Amino acid sequence: MDIDHNLFVGPHQTLREAMSKISNNSKKIVFVVDDDMVLLGSVSDGDIRRGLLADLEFDDVVKNVMNKKTHVVSDSEYKNKNYDQRATDRVTPVVDCAGRVIFILSESWEKASVTHENTVLIMAGGFGKRLKPLTDNCPKPMIEIKEKPMLLMIIEKFKLQGFKNFLISTHYLPEQIREFFKNGSWLGVNIKYIHEKTPLGTGGCLNLIPEDVHFPLLIANGDVLTDVNFGDFILHHQLNTSEATMVARRKSYTVPFGVIGLDDNSNRIKTITEKPVNEFLVNAGVYCISKTASTHIKKYASDFFDMPDFLNYLIAENQNVSVYEHTGQWEDVGTHEALTRIQNGIIE
């Protein structure tokens, strides 16, 4: 996750350089950090004015005027929401146990990150058999929703959240996807492709990813429309020191009958529950994996595999696999019924 470089200065940069960054970052403050991003203090325009009034020059260094008592929130406090938002400054650094800045909270409690270097892998190689005949001559991710290809909607959603590096895995009718998106420059993003000569499942294409991808790697199915905050998703993955994280949704299922509960080893009825509701956490088709998790792919030694299979393998290897529960909008556009809902502007 990248943070606006205009929010940070080194302790030996000049007041002039700090003032320039304060003028360019909209937060009207800079944080002083060392080469390892350990927080040393903060400098506002007021701190600089007071330094100048005390006969400092613009070429003096910022460590001479910085406030060493900058308010911070620890990563554990942020993770557990154990902090008083009302007592925090207008912009507040979140730091790890070593005092390194992870990101900045702004006054609206949004992360003040500008871009994410993380690669987004979109799996777009499926046949879309449940959407026939629409997919007879069109790859499923290129089906139009309100005159816009679904895959374009997905990429635009990521772009709006600051992601620019994309890797698209193709198999079925790949030329349509490549001809439409090309290298992504017309969209203001970078798009590269990997091609599955034979279907590799929802995870098998991980065997084909190039070495220059940026981790943690985001992975998304090419038929999932959602308003997940992907930056927050990556942060959740990192704060939990996970090797892999899956986005999940809560789904309820009502049994349309009365369900009978029996005494153990008996035909005696213990309970009768009319139309009980069961709630489950279900896979939402969006994942985040670390670089070390990617090294397990070769050990897994399978050309064809689905992502849940790979996550089960990591779990069996005692790797930390976590869940990120999403309560906002989400739709798996895999059926005609789902497509109709989306076309009508209905998304769960």
Side-chain angles (χ1 to χ4, degrees):
M1 181 183 298
D2 285 347
I3 306 176
D4 186 353
H5 71 276
N6 281 315
L7 285 170
F8 299 95
V9 293
H12 300 292
Q13 288 187 260
T14 66
L15 301 186
R16 190 185 309 279
E17 291 171 312
M19 189 61 116
S20 175
K21 290 195 173 187
I22 288 172
S23 300
N24 289 322
N25 71 24
S26 81
K27 304 300 179 183
K28 305 310 174 191
I29 194 171
V30 289
F31 297 100
V32 186
V33 294
D34 66 13
D35 292 340
D36 294 320
M37 287 298 288
V38 173
L39 183 70
L40 304 176
S42 62
V43 176
S44 67
D45 54 0
D47 293 323
I48 293 176
R49 284 198 302 272
R50 284 187 287 274
L52 296 175
L53 289 172
D55 295 328
L56 292 180
E57 303 289 340
F58 273 112
D59 289 332
D60 281 307
V61 294
V62 297
K63 71 174 185 178
N64 293 332
V65 300
M66 71 182 183
N67 174 13
K68 297 180 181 179
K69 296 181 179 180
T70 303
H71 179 80
V72 301
V73 170
S74 72
D75 56 353
S76 60
E77 288 173 329
Y78 177 80
K79 178 181 174 182
N80 297 314
K81 301 188 184 302
N82 185 27
Y83 57 89
D84 185 357
Q85 296 184 9
R86 294 170 300 177
T88 55
D89 298 328
R90 188 163 60 91
V91 282
T92 305
V94 176
V95 299
D96 65 14
C97 60
R100 291 184 293 260
V101 178
I102 304 172
F103 65 90
I104 303 295
L105 289 175
S106 72
E107 59 187 341
S108 60
W109 299 98
E110 297 293 336
K111 285 162 284 301
S113 56
V114 176
T115 61
H116 300 273
E117 292 296 328
N118 309 75
T119 299
V120 180
L121 169 61
I122 301 177
M123 297 176 285
F127 293 99
K129 294 179 180 179
R130 291 180 297 168
L131 283 169
K132 282 181 169 292
L134 294 177
T135 53
D136 284 344
N137 299 295
C138 176
K140 180 168 61 172
M142 295 302 291
I143 290 176
E144 292 192 353
I145 296 174
K146 297 183 178 179
E147 301 182 351
K148 181 180 289 190
M150 181 163 47
L151 184 53
L152 177 58
M153 296 174 67
I154 293 170
I155 291 174
E156 286 180 337
K157 176 68 72 173
F158 276 104
K159 181 188 174 186
L160 282 173
Q161 295 190 29
F163 294 86
K164 60 183 181 180
N165 297 314
F166 295 88
L167 186 62
I168 301 177
S169 179
T170 63
H171 172 67
Y172 178 61
L173 301 176
E175 65 282 351
Q176 292 189 32
I177 295 174
R178 287 175 176 264
E179 289 174 4
F180 183 90
F181 288 99
K182 298 181 171 60
N183 65 3
S185 59
W186 62 277
L187 269 172
V189 299
N190 308 311
I191 297 178
K192 296 181 180 179
Y193 300 87
I194 54 178
H195 181 66
E196 304 173 25
K197 293 181 180 179
T198 59
L200 298 177
T202 58
C205 64
L206 290 174
N207 278 308
L208 305 177
I209 59 174
E211 294 184 357
D212 62 350
V213 299
H214 296 277
F215 288 93
L217 174 67
L218 277 175
I219 305 168
N221 289 341
D223 58 358
V224 168
L225 298 178
T226 181
D227 63 354
V228 167
N229 182 324
F230 298 107
D232 191 63
F233 177 40
I234 293 173
L235 178 63
H236 176 88
H237 171 84
Q238 293 173 320
L239 289 179
N240 284 280
T241 60
S242 300
E243 296 303 319
T245 307
M246 169 193 288
V247 175
R249 292 268 298 173
R250 289 198 178 271
K251 287 286 187 180
S252 297
Y253 173 72
T254 302
V255 179
F257 308 102
V259 174
I260 299 170
L262 299 177
D263 272 335
D264 293 339
N265 303 316
S266 169
N267 61 2
R268 181 179 178 181
I269 294 177
K270 184 176 181 180
T271 61
I272 302 174
T273 306
E274 189 64 27
K275 298 180 181 178
V277 177
N278 294 320
E279 191 173 65
F280 305 92
L281 270 176
V282 301
N283 182 3
V286 182
Y287 313 89
C288 184
I289 67 170
S290 68
K291 188 171 185 178
T292 51
S294 71
T295 64
H296 283 267
I297 295 169
K298 299 300 182 184
K299 298 178 185 177
Y300 188 50
S302 174
D303 292 330
F304 181 99
F305 64 88
D306 290 326
M307 277 301 298
D309 298 326
F310 180 55
L311 297 185
N312 276 326
Y313 169 79
L314 291 176
I315 293 168
E317 291 291 306
N318 293 316
Q319 301 300 306
N320 183 12
V321 177
S322 60
V323 68
Y324 176 87
E325 186 174 346
H326 177 57
T327 58
Q329 295 183 335
W330 178 84
E331 187 69 71
D332 175 356
V333 191
T335 65
H336 286 280
E337 293 76 15
L339 181 59
T340 298
R341 286 197 300 270
I342 292 294
Q343 296 283 22
N344 292 332
I346 301 171
I347 185 168
E348 294 184 1

